[in-house]
Amino acid sequence: MGGLMRAIYGYEGWPSLVAALKIQALCFARPGETRSMEWTELDFDKLVWTIPAQKTKMRREHHVPLSTQAVEVLTEMKELFGDKPYVFPSMMSGKKILSENSMNSALRRMGVTEAQHTAHGFRSSASSILNESGEFSIDSIEAQLAHLDTRAVRRIYNRATYWDERVRMMQWWADILERERKNTRPEDLYRDSE
């Protein structure tokens, strides 16, 4: 994961494509949701990205807590493309989003094969690492992935969002990616906050 993150952060491609890959890694939304992100969906005061129902696979509004690393990437994009409707505009037209294959094509240009990783693969990577960490409940991880509970009765009655845990989880995940990218030890990452 560290090598992949170093490749993304070192990639010298179109700025919105590089930033979209960073956000895809940090937020692990579905790639189409990331590519079509609009400024109106972001609340920098509440640190949340609200994906409208019509853009989600399950046709339910989905909220993504924004880590400090995600806010940093989005702030850089605001300076570059804040006058455009989309956060990650196409190189061809600021009024269109990045193409469907743009993130995967960039990964291939970095030397990352399809067998090694895809843009959508950040979802399974995050799910696997978060589940293996033992730090977070399965329910909060599934909620962050915007998965529906397969148990129909539970889905009807359980309306919990696990928001506080998800906020903590998304910062934890971003810190792990940063640590891996910088190849530092966990205690080095938190030394300044003590």
Side-chain angles (χ1 to χ4, degrees):
M1 190 57 78
L4 177 60
M5 294 309 296
R6 283 189 291 279
I8 290 170
Y9 274 74
Y11 186 60
E12 296 182 3
W14 174 243
S16 72
L17 176 56
V18 175
L21 280 166
K22 291 176 183 178
I23 291 297
Q24 184 62 26
L26 291 165
C27 296
F28 55 88
R30 291 180 175 87
E33 296 165 350
T34 299
R35 290 184 304 101
S36 65
M37 180 189 286
E38 297 179 54
W39 293 113
T40 56
E41 299 169 7
L42 298 169
D43 187 329
F44 287 101
D45 294 324
K46 293 182 180 176
L47 301 176
V48 63
W49 166 25
T50 301
I51 305 171
Q54 66 269 20
K55 287 186 178 181
T56 68
K57 181 178 179 180
M58 299 300 161
R59 297 296 180 238
R60 294 179 309 153
E61 187 175 85
H62 183 58
H63 303 280
V64 179
L66 296 173
S67 64
T68 55
Q69 292 89 337
V71 169
E72 184 179 305
V73 172
L74 294 168
T75 300
E76 291 171 4
M77 293 307 295
K78 187 85 169 159
E79 292 173 14
L80 292 173
F81 301 111
D83 61 332
K84 309 282 190 249
Y86 295 105
V87 177
F88 308 114
S90 162
M91 189 166 64
M92 302 302 194
S93 167
K95 295 180 180 178
K96 293 184 179 180
I97 65 173
L98 293 169
S99 72
E100 185 175 349
N101 294 317
S102 58
M103 288 193 278
N104 284 332
S105 294
L107 289 171
R108 301 299 87 81
R109 286 191 294 277
M110 290 177 217
V112 179
T113 68
E114 187 174 352
Q116 291 172 317
H117 219 283
T118 64
H120 194 273
F122 284 108
R123 292 175 58 75
S124 59
S125 294
S127 178
S128 299
I129 292 168
L130 291 167
N131 275 292
E132 285 184 349
S133 76
E135 295 285 325
F136 309 100
S137 71
I138 293 169
D139 288 332
S140 66
I141 296 167
E142 291 300 298
Q144 192 53 55
L145 289 164
H147 289 162
L148 286 176
D149 196 315
T150 56
R151 297 162 290 184
V153 173
R154 185 167 193 266
R155 186 171 59 237
I156 291 167
Y157 288 102
N158 183 9
R159 307 250 172 96
T161 64
Y162 312 99
W163 185 252
D164 291 340
E165 186 174 6
R166 288 168 53 204
V167 168
R168 188 172 64 84
M169 178 174 63
M170 295 305 282
Q171 188 58 59
W172 185 93
W173 172 248
D175 290 344
I176 289 293
L177 292 181
E178 183 174 359
R179 185 190 80 211
E180 291 296 315
R181 176 173 61 90
K182 293 179 176 179
N183 200 22
T184 58
R185 299 173 310 194
E187 56 270 23
D188 292 339
L189 190 62
Y190 296 102
R191 184 171 291 147
D192 294 336
S193 63
E194 293 177 351

